[in-house]
Each structure stands twice: as C-alpha cells, then as structure tokens.
Amino acid sequence: GSYANGCNSYDTINILAKNNPVVNLNSTNTICIGNTKLLDAGNFSSYLWEDGSILRQRSISSLGIYYVTVTDNFDCKGSDTVKITTYGSTPSNFLPFDSTKCSYNNLTISPIQNYTSYLWNTNVTTKDISIQQSGLYWLQVKDINDCIGKDSINIYNKDCLRGLYTPNAFTPNNDNKNDIFKPQIFGNLLYYEFYVFDRYGKQVFYSKDINKSWDGRYNGQLQKIGTYVWLCKYKISGQNTNEEKGTVILIR
C-alpha cells in the first residue's frame, strides 16, 4: 500500500495445493470361513473407520461394507471402501494320498492344485518338495482369496530290489519284444560302465549311460547268433564299487 511519506509496502503469501491422500484397502470381496481378514489403510497421520475405530488396521470376520477416512500431515483427507460379499472355503485335501518309496530313492510330493504361496514343514516354500526320508509331511497354502489351509501326507519306506539284474537272452529281430540288452540297476546309481564282448573277446558294445542298450549290432551289422560276455562296473549309494560279469545269448 501507499503511505503519507510516499513509501510503498508489499506482502506476499504462497498457497500450495496438495492432493488428497489416496487410500487403497487392497482387499478382495471374499473372507475365509472361520478366519479373520486384515484391512490396512496405509501410513497416514490419523484414521477413522465407520465403526469409530481410529487404528491403521482393522480385523474383520463377517460380510459387510467397510470404509475408512484418513488424514495426512497437511490435514488433507482421503477415503476408501471395501465390500466383503462372499465367504471363501479353506483349502483342504490338496495333497495326494499316503504313499510309499524305496529307501534309496527320492520322492517328489506336489499339491494337486495351484496356490499363491506354499510352506512345507521342512521350511521349503516351493510348490514341489523332494524328500529322502519317510515320515509325515504337511503343507500350508494360501489361495487367491488369502484363505489359508493345511494338509498332510504320510510317506512310508518299502522293500525294493537293490543291485544289478540282467536277462540271459534277447532277440534283436525288430518285433519290439526283447529287442535290446542292458542291465537293470536298482538303487541310487552313482557310477556306471557296461561292456559286451563276442566269443573272441572283441568289444561290440560300450556305454556309460544306463539308458543306452545294445541292439545286437556292431558297426551297424547285426551280430551272429550265440553267446556273448558282458561286464558291468557300477556304484550305487551306500555300497562299494561293484564289478559283475555274465553271459547273454543272442537269438533270432
């Protein structure tokens, strides 16, 4: 303004516009049967729920409409509402029936449905679990509605074949019956070599892969009918390295 002595005076005030706080209760419309549901209004200065509660979080256990108004540090207000309209069932019976395993093998257990999170009693948090020991295993899961359920399974050990077994003859005649020759080894295989020799001592087959078999051929040519000698070196968990040999008859 102007004064009598001709001097001028000014004053200024800045008005800052602030957005109202955004509240997101972030909840589905489902509540789990027998469970409570936690509504979280977020980090603000103060809260007021429709029932008069003034805490940040609200635990509910029934269907209904719930809303909260929050106030931030600038005294600005925001609100959000959630409608809980459906009861969700607790996950159950999602593990397979009790089962058995060979004592020397691992076994993979997996729920028959997908969930959003998993917690096994071994503290594994993946869907599948690989076990070595027999016993009781339980799994806690959470579904898309945040419903939590638990199921268990008993795993028993069973007596299984252990060691090396071979047929005494095979017929490589392309009839899809007994056309190949290889040993079967039962146990946790750690090392493997397999040889086949003809009657003159010539090596006609060799492999370090238990999945590969002799088809009765050498350099693409089907070998003669007769007796062949095999030699296998292998090691299974819990045993020393073994070396076994025997004979097999090639028949057509």
Side-chain angles (χ1 to χ4, degrees):
S2 298
Y3 294 90
N5 59 8
C7 295
N8 294 324
S9 176
Y10 299 94
D11 193 9
T12 302
I13 184 172
N14 291 322
I15 306 298
L16 298 178
K18 294 291 184 180
N19 293 326
N20 289 328
V22 177
V23 190
N24 184 7
L25 294 178
N26 195 25
S27 175
T28 64
N29 64 352
T30 302
I31 191 169
C32 307
I33 297 175
N35 292 342
T36 59
K37 192 180 191 76
L38 188 66
L39 303 179
D40 190 335
N43 186 21
F44 298 100
S45 294
S46 63
Y47 312 87
L48 180 61
W49 296 83
E50 89 289 338
D51 68 340
S53 302
I54 58 173
L55 300 178
R56 167 177 172 169
Q57 295 178 328
R58 173 88 176 276
S59 182
I60 61 174
S61 58
S62 60
L63 305 183
I65 299 176
Y66 302 89
Y67 60 88
V68 64
T69 299
V70 303
T71 304
D72 65 13
N73 293 329
F74 301 99
D75 206 30
C76 298
K77 298 183 183 300
S79 62
D80 192 24
T81 301
V82 61
K83 297 181 181 180
I84 308 299
T85 60
T86 306
Y87 282 112
S89 59
T90 300
S92 62
N93 298 322
F94 45 81
L95 285 179
F97 293 117
D98 291 353
S99 185
T100 58
K101 61 177 285 295
C102 296
S103 58
Y104 52 75
N105 280 345
N106 291 351
L107 178 69
T108 298
I109 310 174
S110 178
I112 58 178
Q113 297 175 347
N114 292 322
Y115 296 96
T116 57
S117 69
Y118 309 88
L119 176 61
W120 295 87
N121 61 312
T122 58
N123 291 324
V124 173
T125 56
T126 56
K127 178 181 179 181
D128 302 336
I129 184 175
S130 179
I131 65 169
Q132 295 178 315
Q133 304 297 326
S134 60
L136 175 67
Y137 294 85
W138 57 255
L139 171 63
Q140 179 177 287
V141 299
K142 181 185 292 187
D143 65 15
I144 59 174
N145 294 314
D146 290 337
C147 296
I148 297 174
K150 184 183 290 187
D151 195 13
S152 63
I153 180 174
N154 277 298
I155 304 299
Y156 304 96
N157 278 335
K158 65 179 179 180
D159 293 329
C160 300
L161 293 173
R162 193 177 182 93
L164 181 145
Y165 301 84
T166 60
N168 54 20
F170 76 121
T171 58
N173 56 6
N174 295 321
D175 65 353
N176 294 320
K177 296 179 180 178
N178 202 27
D179 279 339
I180 57 176
F181 172 66
K182 72 171 183 175
Q184 287 184 293
I185 299 179
F186 297 93
N188 183 20
L189 186 63
L190 304 177
Y191 170 78
Y192 171 81
E193 283 188 278
F194 184 60
Y195 304 79
V196 181
F197 305 93
D198 67 13
R199 73 179 75 181
Y200 305 109
K202 181 179 68 177
Q203 179 180 304
V204 294
F205 180 76
Y206 169 77
S207 180
K208 297 182 72 172
D209 184 351
I210 187 64
N211 297 309
K212 292 184 178 180
S213 308
W214 185 41
D215 61 1
R217 299 177 183 272
Y218 177 69
N219 288 338
Q221 298 297 315
L222 187 60
Q223 298 301 284
K224 295 179 180 180
I225 295 173
T227 301
Y228 292 78
V229 176
W230 60 265
L231 171 67
C232 188
K233 301 176 182 178
Y234 68 96
K235 178 177 175 59
I236 58 179
S237 180
Q239 294 187 0
N240 294 325
T241 300
N242 292 285
E243 183 174 310
E244 297 188 31
K245 60 183 178 181
T247 59
V248 62
I249 301 174
L250 189 156
I251 303 172
R252 287 200 296 275

